[in-house]
Amino acid sequence: MEEITMINLPRGTQDILPGESEKWQYLEQKFIELCSRYNYKEIRTPIFEHTEVFQRGVGETTDIVQKEMYTFPDRGGRQLTLRPEGTASVARAYVQHKLHGQVKQPQKLFYHGPMFRYERPQAGRMRQFVQFGIEALGSADPAIDAEVIDFAMTLYQSLGLKSLRLVINTLGDHESRTAHREALINHFTPVKDELCSDCQVRLDKNPLRVLDCKRDHDHPSMETAPKILDFLTNDSRDYFERVKKYLDELEIDYVVDPNLVRGLDYYNHTAFEIMSEAEGFGAITTLSGGGRFNGLIEELDGPATPGIGFALSVERFLLALDAEGIELPVEQSLDAYIVALGEEAELKASGLMKNLRAAGLQADKDFLAKKMKAQFKAADRENAKFVLIIGDQELEKEVVLIKEMASGTQEAVPFDSIINYIKERL
RNA sequence: GCGAUCGUGGUGAAGUGGUUAACACAUCGGAUUGUGGUUCCGACACGCGUGGGUUCGAUCCCCACCGGUCGCCCCA
């Protein structure tokens, strides 16, 4: 544009315009509908929190906290952060409002809204992106792990996605993880110098994540690295087995990947990811991820409370639908479009239109003083089912010509019969 | 943070160091002075991301910056 000062939106954000926004509404509606069927209730938390919520909740060693947070001081000097994910906020609210004291347990909650991470944007990754998520707090029953996974798969499948891959793993309990961690440190320390710089740091802080490194993926030490499955306590192993049994009962296909490590510190026991295997999908294939986070509530100063949840990205959801060639049913149409000719007719048209709308019909008219032909074109573009024509002749007789666009048939209808006439024919 | 690639009208897109920047779609107007989706005719970039340089002359060459896209890392 010639305007040097034209302001564009910030990198990694997007405007969702009419034509696109209907799809977002549609997905949101389907999500909320499914939440209702699974009996999850909405919780709305702020879009920013005290930075500490994420430092403690998500974990100091995570990439999110170390380099991706939008953190800023407010005018009162408080350190605030635009939420990079939803679970920590939900946990904070659960503690703050003492939801653990509610009779109803587990607390089954859902949320949807924008999240923020400072990253280089690419296909399926934005700095502001939208997540749908559910969390079940207060139950350590493997059945609810399966319920959360089932929810996620059902949501995708109900919209027609087929090329899905569910990967699950267990990260074990505290005892399992401590033993595994020690074994990992012992295993990798001798070859520490051969690992990438990130992994050298990870080895000290969170050795589990070395396993997940793409750069060192082919290092010989990876093959022989100790697996969490070998360090699971009997309880952990048993828990994982029961989760799988429930998944089998629900007829959900999955593959176990012992190297699946979630990027957030709070996860333990069940971890899972759902990926798209559709042709032509971008480099990022993860549609959603989740897992169990027993201990998170304690980390945020609440009572020991188990929890599990997952979150999906709406952006990636739409990409996956696109990759599989699925069109969402979001056709827009109008019940009635009023074509008015002349000043007096224009005036009357406004009154008639208000009546139509009051009767629950979708109605619109021209506001650019266009010629009749152009008004018809507009009506056609809007997918109007009926066009009401009013000019001097009609005004005189107190009728309107109603044309059914699909058939082309047209009739004169008295003012007071318009609504019935249209409703009978919709 | 690193790498690759691209940046021409509302959209898609051609193009050349030199007087008028193709074409298509969309839009608007007319043929049809009260009727859509077809057809025909016409209109539509004071300008080729921004700034600087080379040149008699740059949209096209060079440099920088900004921005988009894709990828790496990591993740939703």
Side-chain angles (χ1 to χ4, degrees):
Chain A
M1 299 267 83
E2 74 283 49
E3 190 75 2
I4 311 168
T5 53
M6 185 171 88
I7 300 168
N8 292 324
L9 46 63
R11 170 171 285 167
T13 65
Q14 62 180 334
D15 297 315
I16 299 162
L17 306 175
E20 235 356 75
S21 58
E22 291 82 2
K23 297 181 188 170
W24 289 72
Q25 288 178 357
Y26 184 79
L27 290 186
E28 195 170 297
Q29 180 195 320
K30 289 289 171 189
F31 169 67
I32 291 172
E33 211 174 280
L34 200 64
C35 285
S36 157
R37 276 197 262 160
Y38 280 67
N39 199 28
Y40 284 74
K41 311 289 189 194
E42 183 173 16
I43 179 169
R44 298 195 182 199
T45 64
I47 268 170
F48 57 87
E49 294 273 358
H50 289 290
T51 301
E52 206 184 342
V53 169
F54 305 114
Q55 286 172 333
R56 283 164 61 183
V58 175
E60 286 287 2
T61 69
T62 59
D63 281 1
I64 290 180
V65 170
Q66 283 183 350
K67 52 186 198 192
E68 293 174 4
M69 293 204 300
Y70 274 95
T71 296
F72 57 95
D74 75 359
R75 289 172 189 273
R78 288 170 279 261
Q79 278 298 307
L80 303 173
T81 294
L82 261 32
R83 63 183 184 192
E85 59 103 50
T87 305
S89 299
V90 171
R92 193 227 81 229
Y94 181 88
V95 173
Q96 180 170 344
H97 301 288
K98 299 186 167 45
L99 298 186
H100 45 82
Q102 299 272 313
V103 177
K104 184 182 164 182
Q105 296 294 337
Q107 286 278 309
K108 305 211 298 185
L109 305 168
F110 78 81
Y111 59 85
H112 58 97
M115 305 293 165
F116 306 84
R117 283 155 41 179
Y118 189 87
E119 298 191 271
R120 253 334 255 288
Q122 72 186 66
R125 178 199 290 158
M126 301 291 285
R127 288 185 176 180
Q128 173 174 334
F129 58 102
V130 175
Q131 285 191 339
F132 294 164
I134 67 174
E135 318 279 3
L137 296 109
S139 166
D141 185 340
I144 204 149
D145 297 45
E147 174 174 290
V148 168
I149 293 171
D150 171 50
F151 177 99
M153 293 300 283
T154 300
L155 180 60
Y156 287 130
Q157 287 163 348
S158 72
L159 282 143
L161 289 181
K162 297 213 162 23
S163 302
L164 298 170
R165 178 185 162 89
L166 168 64
V167 179
I168 63 168
N169 187 26
T170 180
L171 306 174
D173 57 17
H174 185 69
E175 201 183 322
S176 316
R177 297 185 74 176
T178 307
H180 183 221
R181 180 194 156 93
E182 213 163 293
L184 284 170
I185 293 174
N186 291 337
H187 176 77
F188 283 118
T189 299
V191 295
K192 185 174 178 180
D193 293 344
E194 298 165 29
L195 300 176
C196 74
S197 54
D198 281 346
C199 281
Q200 297 188 14
V201 177
R202 285 175 185 142
L203 189 50
D204 293 326
K205 300 207 159 158
N206 192 350
L208 193 59
R209 297 191 57 233
V210 174
L211 290 177
D212 204 29
C213 181
K214 300 257 177 3
R215 203 173 300 167
D216 292 325
H217 188 263
D218 296 325
H219 192 277
S221 64
M222 287 295 169
E223 196 68 29
T224 55
K227 303 264 189 279
I228 183 69
L229 295 176
D230 300 325
F231 292 83
L232 293 180
T233 59
N234 287 336
D235 284 352
S236 288
R237 190 186 312 277
D238 181 52
Y239 192 87
F240 192 43
E241 289 309 314
R242 287 162 69 203
V243 170
K244 289 193 283 187
K245 208 170 266 183
Y246 273 106
L247 290 177
D248 293 338
E249 172 63 25
L250 298 178
E251 298 181 329
I252 296 169
D253 290 330
Y254 58 85
V255 293
V256 176
D257 177 358
N259 282 329
L260 175 67
V261 175
R262 306 285 307 143
L264 312 184
D265 284 355
Y266 54 62
Y267 286 117
N268 45 54
H269 289 288
T270 314
F272 70 96
E273 264 181 34
I274 298 169
M275 342 235 211
S276 172
E277 295 186 313
E279 290 288 325
F281 205 69
I284 296 172
T285 57
T286 302
L287 298 179
S288 56
R292 185 158 274 288
F293 45 83
N294 300 349
L296 173 60
I297 299 295
E298 272 173 284
E299 188 59 49
L300 296 172
D301 299 324
T305 306
I308 180 159
F310 96 104
L312 69 84
S313 144
V314 179
E315 287 79 1
R316 293 181 188 178
F317 201 156
L318 289 167
L319 285 175
L321 289 165
D322 209 46
E324 294 200 27
I326 296 166
E327 295 278 347
L328 297 177
V330 290
E331 295 288 301
Q332 301 290 299
S333 70
L334 222 46
D335 297 323
Y337 192 95
I338 304 182
V339 170
L341 304 160
E343 261 179 58
E344 268 184 68
E346 287 281 359
L347 200 58
K348 187 66 187 172
S350 282
L352 291 176
M353 188 160 68
K354 183 178 167 73
N355 293 343
L356 292 170
R357 290 168 172 172
L361 299 171
Q362 299 167 286
D364 205 357
K365 69 183 282 297
D366 165 70
F367 293 100
L368 296 174
K370 285 190 186 171
K371 308 231 165 109
M372 185 175 204
K373 187 184 175 79
Q375 293 191 46
F376 262 91
K377 279 193 173 182
D380 204 43
R381 259 199 304 273
E382 298 280 358
N383 254 319
K385 298 189 186 93
F386 294 93
V387 168
L388 316 201
I389 304 147
I390 180 165
D392 292 341
Q393 298 159 34
E394 290 73 23
L395 226 38
E396 181 125 352
K397 297 182 200 156
E398 304 214 317
V399 297
V400 109
L401 299 179
I402 300 187
K403 179 170 183 176
E404 185 176 29
M405 293 299 268
S407 63
T409 58
Q410 181 170 307
E411 276 188 78
V413 178
F415 285 166
D416 54 15
S417 312
I418 294 173
I419 287 163
N420 283 340
Y421 182 91
I422 293 176
K423 282 197 165 176
E424 278 168 21
R425 274 154 246 259
L426 271 180

